[in-house]
Amino acid sequence: MIKAFVELWYLWLLVLVVFIYRLYKAKIKGIIGEKTISAFLTRLEPTKYKVINDLMLSVDGKTSQIDHVVVSNYGIFVIETKNYKGWILGDEHGENWTQVIYKRKERFFNPIRQNYGHIQALKQNLQEYPELNYVPIIVFSIDADLKVKTNTKVIYSVKLLKTIREFTEETITEQQKEEIYSKLLALNVRDKEARNQHVEGINKKKAEVASQVSANRCPKCGGELITRRGKYGDFKGCKNYPKCRFTITN
């Protein structure tokens, strides 16, 4: 019995690895996606572009974690990465977007709104530069099939560098670029406990929203949620539309 167990140790190890992967699958995929984009960004010209990966800023006692910031002579590029596959459905205003794989649907927070919050955090920390041009970019892996309606740049990862290089008008001086880059590095929250609290806060907010939605209450304004029919199936929307644009897929 013991001999058989020892001989099959690699099978037990494989089972353990698979279990751990499934347990932390979403987190692992997210890390891989961010590392991939980080690698892409190293190909930008270092004399024109300064890259900061995984930047966390403190604003009014709260924290905002930004996947990638590129400080350049052509503006501040604020990049949010999403490592999803399947159809990606969403628009500028909805609270959530939807991932569709065959008949299975999963919701995730609207990345445009998420990135808007990141830009506000940057503006708060860079108030001495009121004229900065912030460029939000949402990046998906090539495994996704994007079916979104938005004016914000929502692109595939392979188009990221081309998209950044489309901006050619210099709006930031060399001195300003160096000052902004140095300041953001100094402001970056690296404390492990603070970063753990940030994740806990996000999970708590998700739970609160789910609880309100299950009670057919809009988490944004408190209005009633009613079922509506859209191009890609039924969804719940706030009864106070168009004053409140909260939507969530059934």
Side-chain angles (χ1 to χ4, degrees):
M1 183 77 176
I2 296 176
K3 184 179 178 181
F5 178 84
V6 172
E7 290 177 348
L8 296 176
W9 67 270
Y10 56 90
L11 290 178
W12 291 103
L13 179 61
L14 179 61
V15 170
L16 179 61
V17 170
V18 171
F19 173 76
I20 293 173
Y21 174 75
R22 288 182 176 177
L23 188 62
Y24 297 101
K25 183 178 179 181
K27 187 173 183 178
I28 292 171
K29 288 179 69 177
I31 292 172
I32 292 173
E34 290 178 21
K35 293 298 182 184
T36 300
I37 298 304
S38 297
F40 280 148
L41 294 174
T42 61
R43 293 158 57 188
L44 290 169
E45 297 85 340
T47 57
K48 293 292 184 181
Y49 303 91
K50 300 288 186 180
V51 179
I52 305 175
N53 300 306
D54 192 19
L55 173 66
M56 180 176 285
L57 298 175
S58 179
V59 183
D60 299 327
K62 298 181 180 180
T63 50
S64 179
Q65 189 168 16
I66 311 170
D67 291 340
H68 314 276
V69 175
V70 179
V71 183
S72 78
N73 298 94
Y74 316 105
I76 310 295
F77 298 90
V78 187
I79 303 166
E80 176 67 23
T81 62
K82 296 296 178 186
N83 197 25
Y84 290 93
K85 61 181 179 180
W87 284 10
I88 304 298
L89 315 175
D91 58 31
E92 198 93 18
H93 304 290
E95 188 80 8
N96 293 280
W97 283 12
T98 305
Q99 175 194 36
V100 181
I101 301 177
Y102 300 109
K103 293 185 178 181
R104 182 170 63 85
K105 296 180 180 180
E106 298 287 342
R107 297 188 298 267
F108 60 98
F109 187 59
N110 184 340
I112 293 177
R113 289 191 170 201
Q114 187 177 3
N115 217 24
Y116 174 79
H118 295 159
I119 290 174
Q120 297 311 303
L122 283 164
K123 286 182 176 180
Q124 281 285 96
N125 282 276
L126 298 172
Q127 292 184 39
E128 64 269 45
Y129 306 98
E131 303 300 323
L132 290 178
N133 177 35
Y134 294 90
V135 183
I137 304 177
I138 314 300
V139 180
F140 281 84
S141 71
I142 57 175
D143 293 326
D145 187 356
L146 298 176
K147 298 181 181 294
V148 298
K149 295 179 180 179
T150 171
N151 294 321
T152 301
K153 292 187 179 297
V154 181
I155 62 173
Y156 295 106
S157 56
V158 292
K159 295 184 178 181
L160 177 58
L161 297 187
K162 180 181 177 182
T163 300
I164 291 175
R165 288 172 178 149
E166 286 175 356
F167 292 79
T168 57
E169 182 183 352
E170 294 198 10
T171 59
I172 298 176
T173 66
E174 283 292 326
Q175 182 177 343
Q176 288 174 328
K177 182 182 68 178
E178 295 296 335
E179 289 174 354
I180 291 167
Y181 176 68
S182 296
K183 180 170 185 177
L184 291 178
L185 285 180
L187 290 172
N188 192 8
V189 178
R190 300 183 181 276
D191 181 69
K192 189 174 181 180
E193 184 177 347
R195 287 180 171 258
N196 288 337
Q197 288 176 354
H198 174 81
V199 174
E200 289 173 6
I202 292 174
N203 292 334
K204 183 179 178 181
K205 185 176 180 180
K206 286 181 179 178
E208 290 172 351
V209 169
S211 176
Q212 289 176 295
V213 169
S214 65
N216 274 330
R217 285 292 159 196
C218 173
K220 194 172 179 182
C221 73
E224 181 187 357
L225 293 180
I226 59 176
T227 300
R228 304 180 188 273
R229 182 169 292 278
K231 182 178 178 181
Y232 299 103
D234 292 347
F235 67 94
K236 286 184 178 181
C238 184
K239 195 174 182 178
N240 295 327
Y241 177 87
K243 228 178 208 182
C244 177
R245 294 177 176 271
F246 178 84
T247 61
I248 194 163
T249 307
N250 286 328

